Amino acid sequence: MRLETSLHRIRLVHFRVHTLTIFRPGRKEMKTIDAASDLPESSLRSRRKFLKETGLAVAAGAAVLVGCAPTAPTPEQVIKEVEVTRQVEVEATRQVEVEVPQEIPASPWQYVELDVEEVRKRGHEGYYRGDCCFGAFVGILEALKDKVGFPFTQIPAEMMGFGAGGVSGWGTTCGALIGAAAAINLVTEKDLARKIVSELLGKYSVTPFPSETSNNYAVNHEFLVTEYKSDKALPQSVSNSPLCHVSVTEWCKAAGIASKTPERAERCGRLAGDVAAMAAELLNANLAAAFVPAFQFSQEAQGCMSCHTLGDNFAAGNFIQGKGECLSCHEPHQ
Amino acid sequence: MRLETSLHRIRLVHFRVHTLTIFRPGRKEMKTIDAASDLPESSLRSRRKFLKETGLAVAAGAAVLVGCAPTAPTPEQVIKEVEVTRQVEVEATRQVEVEVPQEIPASPWQYVELDVEEVRKRGHEGYYRGDCCFGAFVGILEALKDKVGFPFTQIPAEMMGFGAGGVSGWGTTCGALIGAAAAINLVTEKDLARKIVSELLGKYSVTPFPSETSNNYAVNHEFLVTEYKSDKALPQSVSNSPLCHVSVTEWCKAAGIASKTPERAERCGRLAGDVAAMAAELLNANLAAAFVPAFQFSQEAQGCMSCHTLGDNFAAGNFIQGKGECLSCHEPHQ
């Protein structure tokens, strides 16, 4: 599309110099200078200069004529006309607006403080649209989209649908964590993002889900959905793991409720909101002051990880990558 | 932001100088100078100079004429006319570029067939820039960006940096799987994406990494990097799990190499390329014909999952979410 506006400016510069000299017997001189001008400021000097020069030239000529008058034949009539005319400048400025695609800014994009409870409700509602990973992601993304607009309008949130059920049903990382982690990384650079995401996984592992806040929203119908999979206050459980498989199984066991039920789905919907809210809390805190991790593993796990960690000594047990509550999967050894 | 450029064109510069000198009676001279020219703005100085010179010449001529008057015929009439007509039309076209956010198309975005080996190399190179998740993601995204352009230009790939080390070092889902899964979901709708991603996790679990192809690229220095963390042919291992923690530990044990070494990092870089290539293969196949899953769990795992699956019968064991080779973590029960 091309938008056009035109600015036209016409400048008229016009001046005229007449020098009329008529000699008649007895008369010495009659001179008329007629200057009419309409000049821009910058031209004044040259006009004056011109007048001066031509004027002087004429005067000099006249002086000579007059000087010669006593000895020369008196002219019957001398008409000198110096006419400098018509300087017409037409300036037409045409302004053409050309639309060019706006480039996305460099990463990370600017985060603005979000209302944690709004994010919780958005995350829960997002779960109803696209499950846990999508839900937690849009809990933050769509809040930023509504508050900031571009560039958050450019992300197709549907790309995070894959994370549902611990990555497409495999029960690996909790999808809500993946969605929230992507949102965190969208607004924080890599190294900081990893610290905040690691903190999120730690807090997740030790937090009872669904939160009391979410349970209350459901009971009071304060979430953004109109029909609830369940509007009961649901049992809580702590997973001690960021894995979907562990998190869901622990909840099912704690609640005595099977995994393919409206209650379990609602539990994961509330958890998606809770995880998005937890991420927003961490991001808000990071806006206020430089982020400082607070999560600590159990003494037992720290004991395991004193040897079994990322390191360069294979014989010492540095052959692993990862962290967590080791004993939730492994038997301890002496 | 507004960018401005200006185009100026001068159309017409025209001036004329008439000098008409008529002597009567006993005419000595009649001179006419007629100059019409098309001059650019920069000729103003020469115009002034010209006027000045001709003006002076006229004055001098007059002086001489008058000086000669006693011996020359008396002029009846002298008309000197200098007429300057200068018409300048300046046309300025100002182009103003207005950056406008482009509306992204609805999800999923259109996939085009990619060169699997190009994707493998891009994924490996991406690992060097931003680790496994980012690497596998850009292996596909940047190939699409280069081949298609918009809308793939709108995704800040850095947002996938969080997945490194099985999500910020926790060793949960292999980050390369998360990055590749996000790329898959970017170009396929939710339900199809989950089938393809699930297939990817299955194939990953039973594939020896790094692939022979990647090992050969490294040995022959055919990857896109100039300096290698290691250019050796590295040992291969099968993880039987989509988890980073299991995948890395199994490789370290198979290779006898610690986890924080250039060799282990290079192994994960090649794996990032391999996983991106595997995803591109699946996406290419899905372009050619409707996707049909092929991956099968082991008989043992299928046995476990005949009860321990997503279901509504808690008592029957339907209290889990997830799938995998159960016995890689759990003891079997009767």
Side-chain angles (χ1 to χ4, degrees):
Chain A
M1 198 193 338
R2 291 167 70 90
L3 301 174
E4 296 197 6
T5 59
S6 291
L7 302 173
H8 288 277
R9 198 154 65 88
I10 295 172
R11 282 192 293 151
L12 179 65
V13 179
H14 178 97
F15 67 85
R16 213 172 258 167
V17 177
H18 294 283
T19 301
L20 180 66
T21 307
I22 302 166
F23 293 90
R24 285 207 181 81
R27 298 179 68 174
K28 285 206 80 157
E29 188 183 356
M30 188 176 85
K31 186 168 77 178
T32 302
I33 296 175
D34 181 9
S37 59
D38 199 356
L39 291 175
E41 194 64 31
S42 60
S43 297
L44 277 175
R45 175 172 290 181
S46 57
R47 183 181 70 86
R48 288 199 193 107
K49 199 175 166 197
F50 179 78
L51 281 173
K52 195 175 168 188
E53 285 166 0
T54 52
L56 282 174
V58 166
V64 171
L65 282 169
V66 172
C68 291
T71 55
T74 305
E76 193 179 72
Q77 191 177 49
V78 176
I79 297 174
K80 288 184 186 178
E81 188 167 318
V82 179
E83 191 172 301
V84 179
T85 57
R86 295 227 321 128
Q87 179 171 318
V88 181
E89 271 185 36
V90 179
E91 189 177 297
T93 304
R94 219 155 42 99
Q95 187 166 303
V96 181
E97 288 191 355
V98 182
E99 289 191 353
V100 295
Q102 187 167 8
E103 278 183 35
I104 56 167
S107 287
W109 294 353
Q110 183 61 51
Y111 179 73
V112 294
E113 190 174 6
L114 294 179
D115 181 306
V116 169
E117 294 312 313
E118 180 195 328
V119 168
R120 193 187 312 274
K121 290 175 182 175
R122 283 177 179 272
H124 175 267
E125 188 275 335
Y127 177 89
Y128 274 62
R129 273 187 285 150
D131 301 320
C132 56
C133 185
F134 173 87
F137 186 61
V138 299
I140 292 172
L141 180 75
E142 292 182 355
L144 288 169
K145 202 187 277 188
D146 285 357
K147 201 166 179 181
V148 178
F150 181 88
F152 295 102
T153 50
Q154 305 306 98
I155 306 288
E158 292 81 356
M159 70 184 277
M160 299 308 287
F162 75 89
V167 183
S168 301
W170 275 67
T172 60
T173 319
C174 165
L177 286 172
I178 293 176
I184 288 169
N185 201 171
L186 185 60
V187 295
T188 53
E189 62 81 27
K190 184 176 67 177
D191 294 333
L192 176 59
R194 289 176 186 173
K195 285 181 193 160
I196 297 177
V197 169
S198 180
E199 184 77 2
L200 182 71
L201 266 66
K203 283 169 72 83
Y204 173 101
S205 301
V206 297
T207 298
F209 289 112
S211 70
E212 278 190 35
T213 307
S214 275
N215 272 345
N216 288 336
Y217 284 159
V219 169
N220 300 324
H221 284 220
E222 290 176 301
F223 273 127
L224 305 175
V225 298
T226 47
E227 284 188 33
Y228 286 74
K229 295 177 190 297
S230 166
D231 59 1
K232 294 175 193 156
L234 295 171
Q236 296 177 303
S237 65
V238 175
S239 65
N240 280 311
S241 166
L243 296 180
C244 162
H245 175 59
V246 180
S247 180
V248 170
T249 302
E250 290 300 316
W251 183 83
C252 288
K253 286 183 178 173
I257 296 175
S259 53
K260 196 175 183 179
T261 55
E263 290 79 9
R264 201 279 308 158
E266 178 62 28
R267 174 263 182 191
C268 287
R270 295 181 200 172
L271 179 145
D274 288 337
V275 169
M278 198 179 268
E281 272 176 345
L282 291 170
L283 288 170
N284 287 348
N286 180 62
L287 266 193
F291 175 76
V292 180
F295 175 75
Q296 298 281 336
F297 286 102
S298 69
Q299 287 299 316
E300 290 82 359
Q302 288 187 42
C304 300
M305 291 188 282
S306 65
C307 296
H308 297 305
T309 188
L310 205 64
D312 58 10
N313 189 341
F314 184 89
N318 302 164
F319 44 71
I320 75 114
Q321 155 66 30
K323 51 192 174 183
E325 289 299 325
C326 312
L327 302 184
S328 71
C329 291
H330 297 281
E331 292 295 316
H333 66 85
Q334 297 307 315
Chain B
M1 201 193 334
R2 292 166 73 89
L3 302 174
E4 297 196 7
T5 58
S6 292
L7 303 173
H8 288 276
R9 199 154 64 86
I10 295 170
R11 273 206 181 146
L12 178 66
V13 177
H14 180 93
F15 71 84
R16 216 171 255 167
V17 177
H18 295 283
T19 302
L20 181 65
T21 309
I22 302 165
F23 293 90
R24 284 196 192 91
R27 298 168 60 178
K28 274 212 81 157
E29 189 185 354
M30 189 175 85
K31 186 170 76 179
T32 301
I33 298 172
D34 184 1
S37 55
D38 266 337
L39 294 174
E41 191 68 27
S42 61
S43 296
L44 273 176
R45 175 173 287 180
S46 57
R47 180 181 70 85
R48 291 200 190 106
K49 200 176 165 195
F50 177 75
L51 282 173
K52 192 175 170 187
E53 284 166 357
T54 51
L56 284 174
V58 166
V64 169
L65 282 170
V66 172
C68 294
T71 55
T74 305
E76 189 181 73
Q77 194 178 48
V78 177
I79 300 170
K80 292 181 180 175
E81 187 183 306
V82 178
E83 182 187 321
V84 177
T85 303
R86 183 168 176 276
Q87 190 171 337
V88 180
E89 189 175 317
V90 179
E91 186 183 286
T93 302
R94 199 165 42 168
Q95 270 194 355
V96 181
E97 290 189 347
V98 182
E99 288 193 329
V100 180
Q102 280 185 295
E103 205 173 305
I104 56 168
S107 287
W109 294 352
Q110 183 60 52
Y111 179 73
V112 294
E113 189 174 7
L114 294 179
D115 181 306
V116 169
E117 294 312 313
E118 181 195 328
V119 168
R120 192 187 313 273
K121 290 176 182 175
R122 284 177 179 271
H124 175 267
E125 189 275 336
Y127 177 89
Y128 273 62
R129 273 187 284 150
D131 301 319
C132 56
C133 184
F134 173 86
F137 186 60
V138 299
I140 292 173
L141 180 74
E142 292 182 355
L144 288 169
K145 201 187 278 189
D146 285 357
K147 201 167 181 182
V148 178
F150 180 87
F152 295 101
T153 50
Q154 304 298 295
I155 306 289
E158 292 81 356
M159 70 183 278
M160 300 308 287
F162 75 89
V167 183
S168 301
W170 275 67
T172 61
T173 320
C174 165
L177 286 172
I178 294 176
I184 288 169
N185 201 172
L186 185 60
V187 294
T188 53
E189 62 80 28
K190 184 176 68 178
D191 294 334
L192 176 60
R194 289 177 186 172
K195 285 181 192 159
I196 298 177
V197 169
S198 181
E199 184 77 2
L200 182 70
L201 266 65
K203 283 169 72 80
Y204 173 102
S205 301
V206 297
T207 299
F209 289 111
S211 70
E212 277 191 37
T213 307
S214 275
N215 271 345
N216 288 336
Y217 284 159
V219 169
N220 299 324
H221 284 219
E222 290 176 302
F223 273 127
L224 305 175
V225 299
T226 47
E227 284 188 32
Y228 286 73
K229 295 176 191 296
S230 166
D231 60 1
K232 294 174 194 156
L234 295 171
Q236 295 177 303
S237 65
V238 175
S239 65
N240 280 311
S241 166
L243 297 180
C244 162
H245 175 59
V246 180
S247 180
V248 170
T249 302
E250 290 300 317
W251 183 83
C252 287
K253 286 182 177 173
I257 296 174
S259 52
K260 196 174 184 178
T261 54
E263 289 79 9
R264 201 279 307 157
E266 178 62 29
R267 174 263 181 191
C268 288
R270 294 182 200 171
L271 179 146
D274 288 337
V275 169
M278 198 179 268
E281 272 176 345
L282 291 169
L283 288 170
N284 286 348
N286 180 61
L287 267 193
F291 174 75
V292 180
F295 174 74
Q296 298 281 335
F297 285 103
S298 69
Q299 287 299 316
E300 291 82 359
Q302 288 188 42
C304 300
M305 291 188 283
S306 64
C307 296
H308 297 305
T309 188
L310 205 64
D312 58 9
N313 189 339
F314 185 90
N318 302 163
F319 44 72
I320 75 113
Q321 155 66 30
K323 51 192 175 185
E325 289 299 325
C326 312
L327 302 185
S328 71
C329 291
H330 298 281
E331 293 295 315
H333 65 85
Q334 297 307 314

